[in-house]
Amino acid sequence: MRILQHSHGFAGFERALEQARQSKREVLFSQVTPVDPVDPLQFYEAGYQLYQGERSFWQDKSGELTLVGIGNAQTFTSNKRNDRFIDIKNQWQEFLSSAVQVGEKKLGTGPILVGGFSFDPRQEAELEWTNFSDAYFQLPAFMFSVDSDGQCFLTTNIVCTEFDELAKIWDRMQEEKEKLLGFAEGQMKDVKVVQVTEIEPEEWKQSLSSVVERLKNGEMEKVVLARKILVDFDGRKRSETVLERLRDDQADSFLFSLEVLDSCFIGATPERLVKKSGDSILSTCLAGSIGRGATLEEDQLLSDTLLKDDKNLHEHELVVNMISENLRALCQKVEMPSEPTLMKIRDIQHLYTPVTGTAKKDMSVVDFVNRLHPTPALGGTPTHLAMDVIQEEEKMNRGFYAAPVGWMDAEGNGEFAVAIRSGLLHDQHAYLYAGCGVVKDSNAESEYQETLIKFRPMLRAVGGTMQ
C-alpha cells in the first residue's frame, strides 16, 4: 500500500490513475482532508439527493467516533457461508494492496469499510432482506469523520480505472464534496404510522415453551429466541428521521444505519461485540436483563434483584465463558473483572462484564468477529445446537438483526456492535426485532413481556406505539 505524505490531492489522484492504466486494474485513491465542523446528521441528510440508498452512519456509544458515509466507491459482498468473514478480509486486503493514500492518517479516517454480516447464512431469504448479502460492506465515496476531540475530517475515495478521464472525475468529486459540506439542513416531512402488527405472538410463546422443555431435558443450556413486529406507514420512511430520534433517545448506545437500495438497516444497540485499536482489544459480555423502575427506589430494587437472580447470572456466565475463551485464542493476554456490574439504558438494564486483551500479531478486527459471532447472548449454547433450534423455531429470517455491524480500516482496526434494538426500513414498512435468552427456568409470558420492553426504543424512533 503506497501512502503519500504530502497533501497535494490532485498529484496523488494523477498517480493512482496512471497506476491503473499501467496495471490495467482498479486502483484506489483515498484523500483525507480536515474540514470545518458540521452536524453529522446534516451531512447524512445532504447525501439523500445525491446518493439515495448509498448512505451509512456509525456513532460509538461513548461519542468518541462518528462516521458518515455517502455514496459507494466500491461494494464488497460475500455469500460464502462458511468463509464469509475471511472472504471479506481477503477481498479488502487485496483491494488495498495498490491503494494510493494522501493526507493525515488518524483512526477513523482513510479507507474504511462500513457494513456487517447476516446472523445465520443458512436461513432462507425473506423479501425484506433480498437487498443484503450474507456479508455486505460499503467503501463510501465520501466519509465524514468526527473524533473524540471534535475534529472533523473528510475522506474522499475514488476507484480509478484505465479508462477514466482525469480532469472530469476530479472536478465532479470536488463539486459533489462542496454540495455535501455546504448543505443547509432542511425540514423533512415525516410519514405517519398506519398500523403496528405483532407477528404471531401466541405461536412464538408456544415455541418458547417447547424450547424450555428441551432445555429441561438437557439438550442445551440456552437458546435465544427472537421475533418481529411490522410497522406500516403512509409513505416511505426516511432513515434520517429515525436516526435523529435514536440520537436524542438512545445517546448511550451505538447508533448505526446501513442503506442498501430501497432498504435501510438501522438501530441503537448497547452491545459491543469487539473493538480493535492497534493491538488493544475490548469486548463486552451483556446478558441477563430486567426493566427500569419508575422511581429511584424502584429502580434500585430491580437492580439488586438482577444482580442476585440465579437465572440471569447463569445466562451471563455462559456469555462470559464463551467470549473470554475465544479471545484467548487470538490474544496474548485477556483480563476481566470477577463479577458483573450493571449497564443501564433508558428502558432496560443488563448484567455487564467488559473483557480486554492484547491481540496477537497480524490479527484483523474481522478475525475477532469471526471467532466471537454468535455469542451465547444472541444465539445460545452449545452454539451449533442453539443455532439449529433457532432455525427450526423462529419461522423468520433475522437478516442482520443480532449480527455484527460496524467498520474496519486499512490497518485491521475497527469496531463491531451486536445489532440488537434494531429494525429494517423497507419501502413503506419497518420490521422491528427483539429477542430474549431462554434457559430451563424461563417462562413464556415473562419472556414475551421482556421483548415488549426491547421493542420500545425502535418503536418510538419510527413513531409508533404498541397497544
Side-chain angles (χ1 to χ4, degrees):
M1 186 189 310
R2 182 172 176 77
I3 301 178
L4 304 179
Q5 298 303 322
H6 60 81
S7 59
H8 197 287
F10 188 79
F13 178 57
E14 193 172 27
R15 182 174 302 204
L17 195 55
E18 180 60 30
Q19 194 170 311
R21 287 169 178 159
Q22 291 179 1
S23 65
K24 299 188 183 302
R25 55 173 291 182
E26 294 180 337
V27 174
L28 172 66
F29 168 75
S30 185
Q31 179 186 20
V32 180
T33 308
V35 293
D36 293 332
V38 298
D39 183 343
L41 274 182
Q42 179 179 320
F43 188 83
Y44 184 86
E45 184 184 351
Y48 180 78
Q49 298 300 331
L50 291 173
Y51 291 102
Q52 183 179 338
E54 296 182 1
R55 298 180 297 171
S56 58
F57 188 97
W58 169 272
Q59 180 176 297
D60 65 27
K61 64 184 302 176
S62 60
E64 293 181 357
L65 181 64
T66 303
L67 303 173
V68 185
I70 304 295
N72 281 352
Q74 191 86 335
T75 301
F76 297 81
T77 65
S78 178
N79 285 316
K80 294 184 177 180
R81 286 187 175 185
N82 298 324
D83 300 310
R84 56 197 173 126
F85 299 98
I86 301 305
D87 187 27
I88 289 292
K89 175 185 174 181
N90 291 341
Q91 287 184 46
W92 183 225
Q93 290 179 341
E94 171 64 20
F95 180 75
L96 291 167
S97 62
S98 58
V100 175
Q101 296 187 50
V102 174
E104 181 183 7
K105 185 71 174 69
K106 299 181 64 175
L107 191 68
T109 67
I112 285 178
L113 291 188
V114 181
F117 301 90
S118 66
F119 179 77
D120 185 350
R122 300 175 305 164
Q123 292 181 327
E124 292 184 14
E126 288 188 290
L127 178 63
E128 62 263 31
W129 288 107
T130 51
N131 288 337
F132 291 77
S133 307
D134 290 323
Y136 182 94
F137 286 84
Q138 300 172 350
L139 171 66
F142 301 98
M143 171 70 81
F144 180 74
S145 309
V146 186
D147 67 14
S148 57
D149 298 322
Q151 291 184 294
C152 299
F153 301 88
L154 185 68
T155 301
T156 304
N157 296 305
I158 305 174
V159 178
C160 303
T161 73
E162 59 179 304
F163 307 106
D164 291 336
E165 296 182 38
L166 180 68
K168 183 181 292 187
I169 292 179
W170 181 261
D171 290 345
R172 177 176 60 82
M173 295 299 284
Q174 301 311 305
E175 181 182 332
E176 291 180 358
K177 180 167 66 175
E178 293 302 319
K179 286 181 180 178
L180 292 170
L181 292 172
F183 176 80
E185 192 171 5
Q187 186 69 35
M188 284 177 294
K189 182 180 178 182
D190 203 2
V191 296
K192 294 181 180 179
V193 172
V194 176
Q195 186 173 344
V196 178
T197 307
E198 289 195 71
I199 309 297
E200 301 181 341
E202 294 305 318
E203 288 82 350
W204 184 82
K205 291 180 191 178
Q206 292 172 11
S207 289
L208 193 145
S209 296
S210 173
V211 170
V212 168
E213 290 304 313
R214 296 176 67 174
L215 293 167
K216 287 179 178 178
N217 291 334
E219 290 185 40
M220 298 145 292
E221 289 187 79
K222 175 186 174 182
V223 175
V224 178
L225 284 186
R227 65 190 192 95
K228 66 181 177 182
I229 58 177
L230 173 64
V231 184
D232 296 310
F233 306 102
D234 63 359
R236 185 174 175 182
K237 188 74 173 178
R238 283 179 57 173
S239 56
E240 300 96 306
T241 63
V242 181
L243 271 178
E244 187 172 20
R245 290 180 181 175
L246 288 174
R247 189 170 69 169
D248 293 341
D249 200 33
Q250 302 289 325
D252 50 1
S253 294
F254 293 93
L255 304 183
F256 63 88
S257 169
L258 181 65
E259 288 188 343
V260 185
L261 301 175
D262 62 349
S263 300
C264 180
F265 184 53
I266 191 167
T269 174
E271 186 166 357
R272 172 188 290 112
L273 182 63
V274 64
K275 178 181 181 180
K276 183 177 184 294
S277 180
D279 63 358
S280 296
I281 298 296
L282 174 61
S283 187
T284 297
C285 306
L286 204 68
S289 55
I290 201 167
R292 300 297 305 273
T295 64
L296 288 175
E297 292 78 10
E298 183 183 352
D299 197 60
Q300 186 60 51
L301 180 61
L302 289 169
S303 299
D304 294 341
T305 300
L306 180 59
L307 287 167
K308 297 174 183 176
D309 183 74
D310 289 340
K311 170 194 172 291
N312 281 291
L313 286 169
H314 175 63
E315 185 180 337
H316 187 77
E317 184 182 13
L318 294 175
V319 178
V320 171
N321 291 342
M322 180 272 191
I323 287 181
S324 59
E325 178 182 339
N326 280 281
L327 286 184
R328 286 190 180 96
L330 302 178
C331 288
Q332 299 173 32
K333 66 176 181 178
V334 172
E335 297 178 334
M336 61 187 159
S338 58
E339 294 182 347
T341 56
L342 293 175
M343 178 184 291
K344 298 190 176 192
I345 52 181
R346 175 169 172 172
D347 299 293
I348 200 167
Q349 46 191 320
H350 301 278
L351 293 174
Y352 163 69
T353 299
V355 184
T356 59
T358 303
K360 294 178 181 177
K361 189 177 180 181
D362 297 328
M363 290 289 107
S364 163
V365 66
V366 180
D367 293 310
F368 287 89
V369 173
N370 184 20
R371 191 83 188 193
L372 292 173
H373 175 74
T375 72
L378 282 309
T381 187
T383 301
H384 66 289
L385 295 178
M387 296 289 276
D388 288 344
V389 173
I390 290 169
Q391 193 170 14
E392 294 167 17
E393 297 288 348
E394 282 189 352
K395 307 295 190 296
M396 71 173 189
N397 187 337
R398 292 190 181 189
F400 277 33
Y401 165 72
V405 171
W407 63 274
M408 55 182 162
D409 68 11
E411 286 74 43
N413 301 306
E415 185 165 27
F416 282 78
V418 180
I420 55 176
R421 316 294 190 270
S422 59
L424 181 72
L425 305 178
H426 179 72
D427 196 16
Q428 295 185 195
H429 314 285
Y431 300 85
L432 309 184
Y433 302 86
C436 56
V438 184
V439 293
K440 63 182 180 181
D441 298 326
S442 292
N443 172 271
E445 184 59 33
S446 62
E447 301 294 355
Y448 168 77
Q449 294 298 325
E450 182 177 313
T451 63
L452 294 181
I453 295 174
K454 291 175 176 177
F455 277 127
R456 287 178 190 168
M458 284 303 300
L459 199 52
R460 279 196 302 266
V462 301
T465 57
M466 191 84 81
Q467 299 297 325

